[in-house]
Amino acid sequence: MNPLPPHPLAAPAPAAARGMRRPAARRDPRRQGIVAVLAMMFLLIFGSLAAAMAIVSQGNLRTADSHLKINRAMAAAEAGMDIMTYRLDQVTQGDPDDLDNFPGVYTPRGLIDDTSGYELWAGDGTPDNPGIAQLMVEAMTGAQHLHYVEMPGSPRIDTTLGSHRSGKLIRQLVIPAIKVGNQGQAFTATMTPHDLPDNMQPSSSGYDDPFYDRLPYGPPGGDRNSADQELRDQYERDMRVKREAGIDFIVAETVGHNSFHDLPERPLDARFIRVRVTAYDGDLKNLDADPEVVSNNRVYRSISMDFKLGKTIPYAVLSRSRVMIGRNVSIRGNVGSRFTETDKKNGHPVQIQSDFLGLNSALDAEISPISADYPSGGAFHQDLKALDTNDDNRLDINNPTEIAGWPGGEAGARADDADGDGYINEFDLFLLAFDNAPIDGRVTLNEFTNAADLVNEATAVQLFELMDTAGEPQREGWDDGYVDSEDLYSKIRGRISLTATTDQWDTGLTVWGVDPDGPPTDTPNYKDYFQGAVRPDYGDPALTTQDVELERHTFDQHSFDTKSFYDLADGDVIDGANDSGGARSGMTASFTQATPDDAATLEKVPYGAAYGYDYYARPIYVNKVFENARIEVGTNALFVNCRFRGVTYIMVDTRNGDPDFNYTGMLESSGKLKHFDRDADVGGTEVYDTKPFGNNLRFDGCTFEGPIVSGDQNGDQPEQFTHVRNKVTFTGQTKFDFANGTTEAEQELYERSSLLLPHMSVEMGSFNDGATATTDEDGAVTGVTTAETLELSGAVVAGLIDMRGHISLRGTLITTFEPVSGESPVNGNTAPNFNTTLGYFSAGQGDLEADLPTEGGLGKISLVYDPTLALPDGINGPVELRPLTQTYAESGR
């Protein structure tokens, strides 16, 4: 049967089925290139994204790399400035650990000016004066890596300080690249004394650049004469910044400012050294290459800061003997003692009594050291001995170790922190004891003096005044009638430095005991003699033992040259000596000879002391006026209500080296010789009375319009300390008034040192009356003090000194005598009896000349270190290059 034919609409059979090849498909011409276009578009998009990502990534990498280099360069610059600061201090101040290589740069000048400043910097090319710059060369990696650059100086705007360098060459120190890391960092440094050429200034305007309008170079703000207290305070705050920097002028006046100051305008001078450190990151392989050639591979950062060349003694008290700091004594500044004979009775390197001890029984039960009444010490004193870890006599609330076991834990400690300073100390206990209703965190005078069990009202009044007026008058709370947290109370606001160690101190206590004549006590500890809160500057320790810093200032009596003051004392000659040997080396016919009014009966020395050791028949001068006077050797006079204008120069005989010099000619109260078997050799001559070869003087109620200085005609000092024969005693209402009857230049000179008596024993104040006080008809003290404060300034220098009563010192107290047991004038093991005493102590505590006062209270003594006061000429001490941190500036290259 034949198959049916296919349906006309059916699909044709496959070619293979029909035995035929399939022809190639034909494309639509409209669809050709679409895929290529799409591919190209995607390629372009992804390529662009990839390129953008690469650019961004590369940019980020470059930015990150640049940022890292900038940070590393800045870190290198900061490191370089730190290194330069350290080296400058090491070179100028000396390194006690390496004195052979770094002995320090010393000068007898007290005031460094432009001329002497540049001489100290540049030197004169001699071994004795190589200059700070040359010493810096030797202090770094080696002279072959450093060099000087001589550069033209610029003319001065003002020549007040001299113009010895105007238009001449300035010696600039250049320190080539020093590597400070493994990542490609190095720094270079330049040190250039001012005045700077214009091309080294922040801009071409030189010292008229606005850079110098800021403090400490610019003018103070505010208005010292304004009725607005805030404006007056602003002026005083700004002036304090300038005074601390030692800048009593303004450098430029390029912007509008007030004219409420009397400061001159002048450029900086050679006392100011600009240190510029330029650091870079990268290309350390080319340290010695031309910087311009390799600069493209480096990132630069520069910092600069000015350093001021000067001379200071950074202590409020600096002593070679034992230092005794009694009650009602406040010290703002560092305290240094080189005394080491801790194995002798009362051999405390520094002994400090709490201001709050002895006020009432409740407070004594908390703060008393070991005593007959408190064999283990008060409760809080025991806590300090057990828990205080850093010898600041405070318990740190934020230190769990120091408040371990405190009642109520940390919350209880914070509640007992009455002044809110983060520490618990005796001042908090004082506030808690005397802050009566309403309890407001502060004590008024009435609250204090009306306390039921107050022991001594006069002492309380004086202590209140001392705390309320401590510090600068510009501070909050100054003299506001309240004692509170604003008064920032501390016994010592600074650090304490000792040559001895606390272990030596404790060991010595076990040798001679706390009180050999008293009842048995606990194991003695130096803390029993180290009382009162110590508040050091931030970062400083409260107590440093074996402190090598003390080696930088080892003054004895021969460290002082007083010749310049001898030359100024060319007026009256005072000579009360007889013809038995008193030297008269300073007299000339042109002087006015002063004669005494009368001769006194025998007077005990020290005057008014409970335990005297000699008697003098003194000539008496009453109501006299002396001008630029020399008091001849052997005068041994009493001056009553006299006025001394200008310099008062006490002549001494340097030939006092005989061990019996102190004792030869000593008298009993009857006038008979005390030591018949003693004589002394004076310049090869045997004498039986050394009074004509010393100068033991007393000034009662006298006024001084200039400094008191001692020495011979050459400015030299005696061979040894002879406290009996060479002594100055001030009694009555002594006054120093440098502003009266002197020129401004003389006043500035006198303020450098009220007392410059390098070998003499000095007594100030009464032995038995802490201060003159008002009394009733029966002689009872009412507690209202009437004595004026004896105000001293500058470097007060003595062999040893005792200060009692009302005394204020702004400057530095230096005592030069180092007592050594068994060496004249120290008899036996009594070195601790030769001490520097501030305030009152009993004879049992080692002050053999005095005892606790019976009336008038304890007085008040305030010592405030002031680095802005220039030292007197003649003190051979190290200079310093102090960084003025306010002048810090950053820049690129």
Side-chain angles (χ1 to χ4, degrees), residues 118 150-155 163-171 197:
Y118 190 71
E150 302 283 0
M151 53 192 305
S154 58
S163 57
H164 72 284
R165 290 185 297 114
S166 296
K168 296 184 180 180
L169 296 178
I170 299 173
R171 178 152 287 182

Side-chain angles (χ1 to χ4, degrees), residues 790-846:
L790 170 57
E791 296 183 354
L792 305 170
S793 68
V796 171
V797 181
L800 291 178
I801 192 169
D802 290 346
M803 289 184 172
R804 304 177 181 92
H806 284 243
I807 299 174
S808 172
L809 167 60
R810 179 171 289 275
T812 298
L813 174 62
I814 303 171
T815 54
T816 65
F817 176 55
E818 181 175 6
V820 178
S821 292
E823 295 184 9
S824 181
V826 182
N827 283 329
N829 295 323
T830 62
N833 295 343
F834 294 78
N835 43 62
T836 298
T837 306
L838 308 176
Y840 287 94
F841 288 83
S842 66
Q845 293 169 318

Side-chain angles (χ1 to χ4, degrees), residues 464-726:
F464 188 93
E465 294 172 350
L466 180 68
M467 292 189 290
D468 195 27
T469 58
E472 301 293 336
Q474 292 74 40
R475 71 164 174 81
E476 295 292 332
W478 191 85
D479 198 21
D480 62 354
Y482 299 95
V483 171
D484 53 19
S485 60
E486 290 184 342
D487 293 306
L488 303 174
Y489 170 82
S490 59
K491 180 70 174 180
I492 296 177
R493 196 173 186 86
R495 59 183 174 85
I496 299 175
S497 299
L498 305 179
T499 299
T501 68
T502 54
D503 287 342
Q504 292 170 341
W505 197 347
D506 281 340
T507 301
L509 286 171
T510 63
V511 173
W512 56 269
V514 176
D515 185 1
D517 301 323
T521 63
D522 286 353
T523 302
N525 183 277
Y526 72 93
K527 283 279 192 178
D528 292 304
Y529 302 91
F530 189 76
Q531 306 164 47
V534 180
R535 189 190 299 265
D537 289 339
Y538 179 78
D540 285 346
L543 175 65
T544 302
T545 60
Q546 292 183 309
D547 193 352
V548 296
E549 294 297 316
L550 290 170
E551 298 301 319
R552 292 178 168 179
H553 304 278
T554 57
F555 302 115
D556 61 19
Q557 75 265 30
H558 302 298
S559 302
F560 303 85
D561 179 1
T562 58
K563 178 66 163 60
S564 61
F565 291 96
Y566 171 86
D567 293 337
L568 292 174
D570 57 358
D572 298 322
V573 169
I574 305 170
D575 185 4
N578 54 33
D579 294 330
S580 61
R584 296 171 174 78
S585 57
M587 297 175 60
T588 67
S590 61
F591 290 179
T592 301
Q593 181 69 40
T595 57
D597 298 287
D598 198 357
T601 57
L602 287 177
E603 178 180 292
K604 181 168 59 175
V605 173
Y607 177 79
Y611 311 97
Y613 36 69
D614 198 2
Y615 287 81
Y616 273 78
R618 300 189 184 281
I620 304 176
Y621 297 81
V622 182
N623 298 326
K624 295 288 185 70
V625 178
F626 304 101
E627 187 164 355
N628 290 322
R630 293 181 189 170
I631 303 178
E632 288 300 318
V633 175
T635 298
N636 301 319
L638 166 62
F639 299 89
V640 180
N641 195 33
C642 293
R643 182 176 294 271
F644 294 83
R645 293 175 176 167
V647 175
T648 301
Y649 196 87
I650 301 174
M651 298 293 295
V652 299
D653 194 315
T654 61
R655 304 168 298 172
N656 69 344
D658 191 292
D660 285 329
F661 189 90
N662 253 335
Y663 307 99
T664 300
M666 273 189 176
L667 298 180
E668 302 282 3
S669 59
S670 62
K672 295 181 178 180
L673 279 177
K674 182 180 291 188
H675 305 288
F676 290 94
D677 57 341
R678 297 203 184 191
D679 55 32
D681 181 282
V682 178
T685 301
E686 185 180 23
V687 301
Y688 297 92
D689 184 3
T690 53
K691 285 185 173 72
F693 300 93
N695 237 336
N696 188 312
L697 307 167
R698 182 162 74 91
F699 300 92
D700 185 68
C702 295
T703 298
F704 298 90
E705 296 177 3
I708 308 174
V709 186
S710 66
D712 71 358
Q713 64 270 26
N714 299 314
D716 295 331
Q717 306 301 322
E719 296 177 38
Q720 70 169 343
F721 177 73
T722 48
H723 60 292
V724 179
R725 291 293 170 253
N726 290 295

Side-chain angles (χ1 to χ4, degrees), residues 230 265 331 380 488 823 883:
E230 184 175 347
E265 177 190 357
I331 298 178
F380 181 68
L488 303 174
E823 295 184 9

Side-chain angles (χ1 to χ4, degrees), residues 12-23:
R18 298 196 306 271
M20 299 184 299
R21 295 183 60 186
R22 182 178 178 179

